[in-house]
Amino acid sequence: MSSRISLRGNWERASRLEWLETNGLGGYASSTAVGANTRRYHGLLVPATIPPVGRVVLLSKLEERITIGDESWDLAANQFPGAIHPRGFELLDWFERDLFPSFEYSAGGVRLRKTIAAIHGENTTVVVYEILDAPGEIEIELTPFVAGRDYHGLTFANAAIRKEGTFGGGTFSLTPYEGTPKLFLVIPGSSFTPAPDWHYSFEYALEQERGLEAHEDLFTPGHFSLPLKRGVRFVVIASVDDPTGRDGLALFDRERNRRERLIHSSGLVGPLAQKLVLAADQFVVRRGANLRTIVAGYPWFTDWGRDTMIALPGLCLTTGRFDDARKILSAFAESVSEGMIPNRFPDDGEPPQYNTADASLWLFVAVRKYLEATRDEPFVREVMLPVLRTIIAWHRRGTRHDIHEDDDGLLVCGAPGDQLTWMDARVGEEAVTPRIGKPVEINALWFNALAILESMERKWGEPANAQDLAFRAARVHARFRPLFWNEEAGCLYDVVDGRDRDPTVRPNQIFALSLPYPVIEGEDAERLLVVVEQKLLTPAGLRTLAPDDPRFVETYAGDPSTRDRAYHQGTVWPWLLGPYFTALVRVRGARGIEMGRKILARFEPHLHEACVGSVSEIFDGSSPHAPRGCAAQAWSVGEILRAAVEDLGLALPESPEARGAEPLDRMII
């Protein structure tokens, strides 16, 4: 299951490989294979101070130097303007992503392995060092670099930082600024040498590429030293809670056991599936005292309603995390307002934002899949059914952003300036891809919402309600094809607004085939699928715009405005592989399964690039389809995992008896 990559001396490749550790609260640790931070978001301890939000880059990094006699070697690496210093990447033999990210260095006869783990349920990171070989006694020096700022920001040398910490019994503590969390470092057996100082102009290459300020100053309070010899293993604990007296190895072992149980209890086998099970775990986090939510993407997104509902089946149901799924649905059910679930919970804990036409409709799909997976009828009937009724009622009479049922039964949404579908990029007040009127996927979702609620009313509700919903669903189904079918192109219009029909070829039409209740079937479904494959399908996912469209943008790069204008104008989204695989199998049966498995096999190497072990948010529209955007995206992982199991039949044991007995290294996918 591991991804061991040989990297010695290869700065260009190693600095492009990222790793991510998350703690189930919204906090994380993340950097590159060489330990050089290339994003402002990278950090060894980034706690969520108001879980799952309020993230702070507290401890930016911890640098190592090993000394034998009068010779020393730095294992760290940093990029500065015009220079890389130190050059520890020249001593890095390999980087591996297994249950945890690990790094192995060799210098002066010393071989050292470092493993990093974020501890689930607390804002704590542990770093395990193992001296695999050494010619005699060595000394290791550890230097912490502190940022102490919001994770979206940067810090620069200033007089406000508190330079003096406290140290005793192997525990160091420092509160960098008023209002920031206290940083605790436990380094058993170490001595501390105070040397408070600023280091200037750390350069973050990926921020430069994103057209943003890319330089930061970091503060160090001094360094820790301790003697070591061959065979020794010791652990550094970094936390916002006083960890004095805690056993670092016990913490690490507890986290290892938790992750092994996740893989085992999922019942999925094969390296790819098990990597995705671990990746899925990173997005499921706590919200409030006893609820859960899904972080849309790391390192900069929080929890979004649309992303959560789309990702939930793959992240939670495919992996057997039914209790988490129930708590996620409960969290969003509690936040319904005027028939809408929130599109976004802001970073600072302010009231949620309700500016989406599709998130509430995706909730119906998530609830249906939850019911299919768990047979938890009491929860769905008592908790979710009243919420679904409310959503339909509000949509029929009209809710925010002029979202309402039209005279023909279809759903209309939006006004000038609104951007309510998943193609939601904006530049200032300008909606880059405005889709006002009747978007194709919104109405496929609307039909599904009506049909799903009708099936529940028929089982648990009033016959009259079920009959009314059946009538309305049938009316939408009958109206859908005549309104959206573009006979000349052999596919669906993207948006219909009165007499205007947008013939732009976009992937939104795939949902007419892939949702639980398809609205396009038969020969039309095959024709639509062929158009999607010819114009939108890539090895990394589906493009958001056909390359022959004059608005097509090949590369997602540049400053924020340039990137926002390219976001849905050809950029490839891997999460769309999920609905594509579903449609492929529905339309082509066994041949579709074979095709889907081949596509997935070609996609699998991506888990060895970018954020190793996870799936990126987006890719460039043109070959070689470089990964871009968030390094790890929830619906990318969730939809690929869901479709691999649900549609392609991969990663399942051969028999029910084998579910608990398959070896972890069995290669199925």
Side-chain angles (χ1 to χ4, degrees), residues 312-629:
L312 183 149
L315 300 187
C316 296
L317 303 180
T318 301
T319 59
R321 300 177 66 152
F322 301 150
D323 184 60
D324 287 328
R326 183 171 58 252
K327 289 178 178 179
I328 292 166
L329 293 173
S330 297
F332 279 85
E334 290 182 3
S335 300
V336 169
S337 169
E338 297 182 27
M340 301 176 73
I341 68 170
N343 185 40
R344 187 170 79 91
F345 290 97
D347 285 354
D348 51 12
E350 292 179 351
Q353 298 175 358
Y354 297 87
N355 56 335
T356 167
D358 52 3
S360 303
L361 303 179
W362 277 110
L363 174 63
F364 287 77
V365 178
V367 171
R368 183 181 190 272
K369 288 186 173 293
Y370 173 82
L371 183 60
E372 288 178 339
T374 66
R375 305 299 178 188
D376 186 1
E377 293 191 2
F379 171 75
V380 174
R381 182 178 65 250
E382 297 164 17
V383 177
M384 298 309 303
L385 180 56
V387 173
L388 302 184
R389 287 170 174 158
T390 297
I391 292 172
I392 292 294
W394 270 99
H395 280 63
R396 286 180 57 186
R397 67 175 177 259
T399 185
R400 298 177 179 91
H401 305 288
D402 201 24
I403 301 170
H404 66 276
E405 184 183 61
D406 203 6
D407 292 340
D408 62 359
L410 297 180
L411 208 62
V412 179
C413 64
D418 281 342
Q419 193 74 340
L420 303 176
T421 72
W422 80 278
M423 292 190 161
D424 56 1
R426 301 175 67 91
V427 176
E429 295 302 313
E430 175 194 356
V432 180
T433 48
R435 304 179 71 232
I436 299 167
K438 298 174 181 175
V440 64
E441 83 283 7
I442 297 298
N443 279 284
L445 282 163
W446 176 237
F447 169 68
N448 273 262
L450 293 169
I452 290 167
L453 184 57
E454 184 271 332
S455 69
M456 293 180 183
E457 293 284 17
R458 181 164 21 91
K459 188 172 186 178
W460 301 316
E462 294 293 331
N465 293 342
Q467 187 175 359
D468 178 65
L469 287 162
F471 167 77
R472 293 179 180 280
R475 184 172 61 161
V476 172
H477 189 277
R479 179 64 174 147
F480 188 91
R481 187 193 183 283
L483 188 66
F484 284 103
W485 186 256
N486 181 346
E487 180 61 31
E488 181 180 355
C491 61
L492 297 173
Y493 291 106
D494 190 57
V495 183
V496 175
D497 187 14
R499 294 184 178 180
D500 295 329
R501 301 187 182 191
D502 181 2
T504 303
V505 178
R506 295 192 184 276
N508 305 301
Q509 59 191 301
I510 198 70
F511 298 106
L513 309 180
S514 66
L515 289 170
Y517 296 93
V519 281
I520 296 293
E521 298 177 284
E523 293 183 4
D524 289 343
E526 174 62 29
R527 292 178 66 190
L528 189 161
L529 197 57
V530 168
V531 171
V532 167
E533 291 169 336
Q534 290 177 343
K535 293 182 176 290
L536 304 178
L537 181 63
T538 76
L542 300 187
R543 295 186 178 99
T544 42
L545 186 65
D548 57 6
D549 192 297
R551 296 166 294 177
F552 179 78
V553 180
E554 293 188 3
T555 304
Y556 180 83
D559 61 26
S561 174
T562 302
R563 286 184 281 113
D564 285 344
R565 293 185 184 280
Y567 207 35
H568 297 293
Q569 301 289 47
T571 298
V572 173
W573 293 73
W575 81 269
L576 294 171
L577 282 175
Y580 168 71
F581 287 148
T582 301
L584 184 64
V585 174
R586 279 188 178 169
V587 174
R588 296 187 184 146
R591 185 164 66 94
I593 293 175
E594 182 181 358
M595 292 175 62
R597 290 184 175 188
K598 289 179 179 178
I599 292 169
L600 187 60
R602 291 196 295 270
F603 183 85
E604 192 273 340
H606 172 63
L607 273 75
H608 300 261
E609 64 175 3
C611 187
V612 179
S614 195
V615 184
S616 298
E617 177 190 9
I618 52 177
F619 295 76
D620 286 340
S622 291
S623 184
H625 305 295
R628 306 283 186 179

Side-chain angles (χ1 to χ4, degrees), residues 3 16 43 108 263 279 649:
S3 303
R16 291 279 173 177
I263 294 172

Side-chain angles (χ1 to χ4, degrees), residues 158-212:
N158 61 81
I161 193 155
R162 295 172 175 171
K163 297 183 177 181
E164 303 299 327
T166 60
F167 179 75
T171 299
F172 174 84
S173 64
L174 171 71
T175 304
Y177 300 99
E178 182 71 31
T180 61
K182 179 177 284 190
L183 169 65
F184 290 92
L185 288 172
V186 176
I187 307 176
S190 68
S191 59
F192 175 63
T193 302
D197 199 7
W198 285 95
H199 290 230
Y200 301 95
S201 295
F202 289 84
E203 187 168 82
Y204 302 146
L206 292 182
E207 300 302 308
Q208 287 184 312
E209 292 181 8
R210 298 173 66 229
L212 300 172

